Amino acid sequence: MARRSTMLSRRGLLTGAAAIGGAAALSGGLSACGAAGAASAADPDQIQFWTLLSGGDGGTMADMVAKATGSGAAYDVKTTTLVWGEPYYTKLAMAATGGRPPELAIMHASRVPGYAPGGLLDTWDVGRLAELGVSQDDFPEEIWKKGMIGDKVFAVALDAHPTVLMFNPEICDKAGVLDSDGRLRKTESPEEFIDLVSQVGGQTKGTPPLSYGYLGDGSQMFRLFYTFYTQHGAAMTFPEGGKAEIDDDIAVESLQLMQRLLDGKLAVQRNDYAAALAEFATGRSGLLFTGVWELRSVKEAGVPFDMTAIPTLFGTPAAYADSHAFVLPHQNEVDEHRRDLTYRFVADLLKGSYEWATAGHVPAYLPVTQSPEYAKLTPQSHYADVAERVNYDPAAWFTGSASNFHSGFGNAIQPALMTGKGAPGAIDAFRARVDRLLKTQNPVDPDGTWKP
Amino acid sequence: MTAAVERPLVRTAASRARTATTTGPSREGLVSWGFLAPFLVAFALFLVWPLVHGLYLSVTNQSLTGAGGSWVGLDNYREALTDPTMWRALRTTVWFTVVSTIPLVILALVMALLVHRGLPGQWLWRLSFFMPFLLASTVVSQIWVWIFNPDIGAANSVLGALGIEPIAWLQDPAVNLYAIVIATVWWTVGFNFLLYLAALQNIPDQLYEAAAIDGAGPWRRLTSITLPQLWPATILIVMLQVLASLKLFDQAYQMLIGVSTDTTRPIVQYIYESGFVGYRFGYSAAISYVFFALIVVVGVFQMTAMNRRRNLS
Amino acid sequence: MRSRQTRSPGEKGAGRVVAFVVLALMAVGWLMPFLWAVATAFKTETDAASESGWIGGDGLTTEAFREMLSNGNVWIWALNSLWTSLVITVLTVTISALAAYAFSRLRFPGRRWLFAVIVAAIIIPPQVLIIPLFYEMLTFDLIDTPWGLILPQIVAPAMVFILKQFFDGVPIELEDAARVDGAGRLRVFWSIVLPLSRPVMAAVAIFVFINAWNNFLWPFLVINDTNLMTLPTGLQTVIDAHGIQYAQTMAQAVLAALPLIVVFLFFQRQIVKGVATTGFGGR
């Protein structure tokens, strides 16, 4: 304290400045906050829009928004991109709980069953949508129904993004597995498909011909597994409070096909997502199991490629998919004007979703996919039929993209894929996990009192 | 710091004696509450009430969304104590505390001893070591995520120059907790450094003068005067550091988004995840109290250790 | 604060040189990460995303800063950080000082007991309270409002403790004289005690401000509206739709760090002292 006297003046200045600044902030600041809080209020035509799309998808979405707002639209849109996955869904739930969320947000359709029961989402007014030219008839049935709980619509799909098979037409042509139209030869059983893959293997110079990466990626494992499972025409249902209904034989057969493919000759036995993608994108392998969203990155890599639905190997056409869908996060006080603008904005985005197809996704809005313009779009039009055979995650509060269910599936299955052994045990482990989750009430509605 | 901690114990008694001679108690009582009211209202609203209410929430199935809230008794605690994820998070937290506290104390001491020698450039030394402490956790995380980037990060470039294979710092579960430790040491060592520096300045000159007369060399002076004199400060610093490290959340959460965090999830992150990611407020509140119990036990243990020492000396 | 250049008479050139070199190496090591961030911020995105040296192949550029500033969010967040931190500081210091004065000078029933409770509360980690506090803010409808952000941050029992210890050390005679002249308690506090306490008040204020400016967890929980976010939470939550832009990310980090570094350069001595006196308050 000996220095107090010499430091008084400077400190006095500091304290004074802080006090003045503080007072200014208290008066001016709070009005400023009023202004900031009202920044949206000041512009009654601005819609806050949250997405989890970044990279190529984010850029495409930004273009679509710019197009929608540019043409003398009645609304202005502020798009906010949040970190993909769990951080996004956490923030969205917290915002909806607080009652002052953005007017509009994008969600994976598979997450809606876990979200809606807590009152986190407002419902879409079907009549209002229809006035704007958006109705159930404009969507493939499965995709529209995925946005519904009971008879209420909680989500309107923008797209379906299924798992598909990419192939390198040059390599496949040399291997003689293409038909006269340059499409991959049809295969209708696991054996036929394995024959096709080994034939391609003759042209890949020692690299296994099929690329599939899954290590540490539960979603990636579930996508392929569930594609094969549903191709059996089998369902997988998770009744709340009950036991998982999984057809064990079919599940084991599906997993065993994955094991047969991952034998080290047809496909590298232990590969991760990025490495598998790189194998294909550098032209070393001829086939790749992946999602449509990789279209752009493979295109940019400059390798010749085409895409097709995953061949129907067990009788029923089916592919795992999810949808990006529009939702209305629950607001305590709805601004009807803004909500009206939100409806219009969504209708405009759906009608402009041709652009979205360039990112690989299959637009959900049929007038777009049925347009002559879209039919000319390659390779997109080569797999547009997948939209008719999509299979989402089994509905439950705990399933969906970026959920723990996927990582739990991965933990149960990965050892079997890595060793090529113990498929029945892996399915048992998976079932046990699901049963444990089914015993727990949906935490957004722990007393189970919610009704749609 | 030492000043603030040691002096009051003597003065409080003195000032109390003085206040006793001022005006009558009844009016003063009223005035007192006037002075106290703003703080006490805030204290009650934002500290005491949440603490009590949290205890209540921990015996319900309250959800983030406002649904639920039914009484479930001790179910949440029973679940927590048998939840392997919770135990793992506790172990991670304790292990992080151990491996971060050691360098955070030793490096701070070394820095303070060197700076205290009065070499030229005092402000620069202080700025270098303390500046990171002024950064927000987000900024620290962004810088270190960048440095630890497995492909183009500076950390692997340095290793490469030394002929060492690149490391997946944040992706490899065997090393990512230590990557967090490195970032944390860089970020917060400056705080301990300043505490040590203040403590060094409080060592009376006479001790060194006497030692110089006795012909003690620098090493001798360090071991027989400086370090023993720093002992109370060291205890305080260790205590503060342990409590701070146990509260690990920001940098671990921020640096490892998108990475499987099973091996790095600290207990505070598990509180956050159960409550806000998993929507289970009741369960999360129960884990909060398990964590609180840990803090209290550690705190009380340290206090007793400190008091015992003070009584001895 | 006295330096002791003179205290090591036995120490000759060699020792000093070794100490200097060690110290310089450590200081460089400590500055390096931040300087590396600064260097990256001045690169083009292409250079930043490839393994380049301190200066990228495209030379120095302020492109990243310009990009960042043209995106309105960063300004809004910086402004939010500034004014909420100032309000938190003023409120915390005011209510803590008033309470501390009462504990130091006034006599009232339950004083010791109450003070003991407040001191004991220092140990309560804020992290333990996030769930019930969030619930409370829901009840008061304060989620996504500035007050929901500010109010829970103004309770600082440690600051009451520190200020009380300081007031205990201020000579009481001056106050007694004023009281004899008929000045009320508040007047005495305002015109006598406060002026004498400027150094400690400044130390406490700086400390509270730094903590508020950098606080992450609570603002992260209570604010979802991007127009109300503070810098640390905004930078963490919102990303660029076009993917990670390294140079821009580093430019943001540098910008967020800059105000406090400037404050430190100006008030280094006070801050150093502030940490020493308020260190007990923890982080």
Side-chain angles (χ1 to χ4, degrees), chain B residues 1 8 12 16 19 23 28 45 50 53 116-117 126 134-136 138 142 146 157 186 203 205 254 284, chain C residues 4 11 30 40 48 51 105 107 111 131-132 135-136 164-165 168 179 214 232 236 250 257 260 268 276:
Chain B
M1 155 222 56
T12 29
R16 197 169 293 143
T19 39
T23 43
E28 189 164 291
L45 272 178
H53 189 231
H116 190 62
R117 293 168 68 104
R126 270 190 239 141
L134 295 169
L135 306 182
T138 318
Q142 285 182 338
W146 172 233
S157 304
W186 179 77
I203 300 176
D205 279 342
Q254 294 160 351
S284 177
Chain C
R4 286 214 186 78
E11 198 168 88
W30 239 254
T40 306
E51 220 169 330
R105 287 294 194 273
R107 230 166 22 124
R111 189 183 75 150
I131 295 290
Y135 191 87
E136 189 177 344
K164 177 194 179 282
Q165 307 299 21
D168 284 349
R179 306 239 330 127
N214 285 339
Q236 178 64 37
M250 288 305 113
L260 286 192
Q268 185 178 156

Side-chain angles (χ1 to χ4, degrees), chain A residues 143-441:
Chain A
I143 296 178
W144 178 265
K145 275 186 13 204
K146 189 63 192 174
M148 296 179 72
I149 297 176
D151 55 358
K152 300 264 170 51
V153 176
F154 284 91
V156 176
L158 168 66
D159 67 27
H161 45 277
T163 308
V164 289
L165 181 63
M166 275 194 196
F167 60 96
N168 182 320
E170 277 178 15
I171 295 176
C172 290
D173 194 24
K174 273 188 229 153
V177 297
L178 298 186
D179 63 19
S180 52
D181 294 338
R183 311 286 290 268
L184 208 58
R185 191 177 74 210
K186 213 169 169 192
T187 50
E188 290 181 319
S189 69
E191 284 66 35
E192 281 179 38
F193 184 67
I194 286 171
D195 283 348
L196 181 145
V197 175
S198 20
Q199 226 175 309
V200 176
Q203 299 299 326
T204 51
K205 305 180 189 94
T207 307
L210 173 66
S211 293
Y212 172 64
Y214 65 92
L215 284 178
D217 188 340
S219 296
Q220 182 68 359
M221 288 180 250
F222 189 73
R223 288 172 194 141
L224 191 59
F225 167 80
Y226 200 58
T227 299
F228 291 152
Y229 182 90
T230 48
Q231 285 192 351
H232 286 83
M236 191 183 281
T237 40
F238 296 165
E240 209 156 298
K243 294 260 178 211
E245 288 162 16
I246 302 171
D247 188 317
D248 278 343
D249 295 340
I250 291 176
V252 169
E253 192 179 7
S254 307
L255 184 57
Q256 278 170 343
L257 174 56
M258 291 169 76
Q259 289 176 321
R260 283 168 73 188
L261 292 169
L262 295 168
D263 66 349
K265 292 193 193 72
L266 299 173
V268 176
Q269 190 172 28
R270 301 175 182 192
N271 223 352
D272 67 33
Y273 187 92
L277 184 62
E279 260 176 26
F280 183 82
T282 52
R284 279 178 288 148
S285 68
L287 301 159
L288 171 71
F289 280 132
T290 189
V292 291
W293 53 88
E294 292 298 352
L295 182 145
R296 194 190 304 249
S297 59
V298 174
K299 196 173 201 169
E300 276 164 14
V303 69
F305 78 105
D306 201 347
M307 290 157 83
T308 181
I310 292 179
T312 305
L313 305 180
F314 297 100
T316 311
Y320 172 85
D322 207 338
S323 289
H324 294 117
F326 297 108
V327 294
L328 301 167
H330 170 69
Q331 296 189 317
N332 287 349
E333 293 161 34
V334 176
D335 175 337
E336 280 305 328
H337 175 62
R338 279 218 192 96
R339 181 143 288 185
D340 184 53
L341 295 177
T342 307
Y343 273 80
R344 291 187 205 200
F345 174 51
V346 167
D348 290 348
L349 280 182
L350 287 172
K351 290 169 189 166
S353 59
Y354 171 80
E355 182 104 16
W356 193 235
T358 59
H361 311 281
V362 183
Y365 192 60
L366 289 174
V368 169
T369 45
Q370 289 168 351
S371 68
E373 203 185 5
Y374 186 81
K376 280 184 226 138
L377 197 62
T378 51
Q380 283 86 339
S381 55
H382 295 169
Y383 57 82
D385 55 330
V386 186
E388 303 290 340
R389 53 169 91 162
V390 292
N391 285 274
Y392 294 91
D393 273 51
W397 65 263
F398 48 81
T399 58
S401 291
S403 68
N404 285 334
F405 167 71
H406 280 193
S407 47
F409 177 79
N411 289 339
I413 297 298
Q414 181 164 305
L417 292 182
M418 286 171 68
T419 59
K421 296 190 201 77
I427 296 298
D428 286 346
F430 167 53
R431 171 194 291 282
R433 272 168 197 271
V434 176
D435 281 344
R436 214 175 311 135
L437 284 165
L438 282 172
K439 264 194 258 163
T440 322
Q441 259 294 335

Side-chain angles (χ1 to χ4, degrees), chain B residues 22-77:
Chain B
T22 47
T23 43
S26 63
R27 212 187 97 78
E28 189 164 291
L30 225 66
V31 174
S32 313
W33 292 110
F35 272 79
L36 284 169
F39 179 81
L40 285 187
V41 168
F43 185 71
L45 272 178
F46 305 117
L47 210 145
V48 179
W49 170 248
L51 195 67
V52 176
H53 189 231
L55 203 54
Y56 171 72
L57 288 176
S58 75
V59 292
T60 71
N61 66 356
Q62 181 65 50
S63 163
L64 164 74
T65 60
S70 311
W71 177 267
V72 296
L74 294 178
D75 281 5
N76 286 329
Y77 288 95

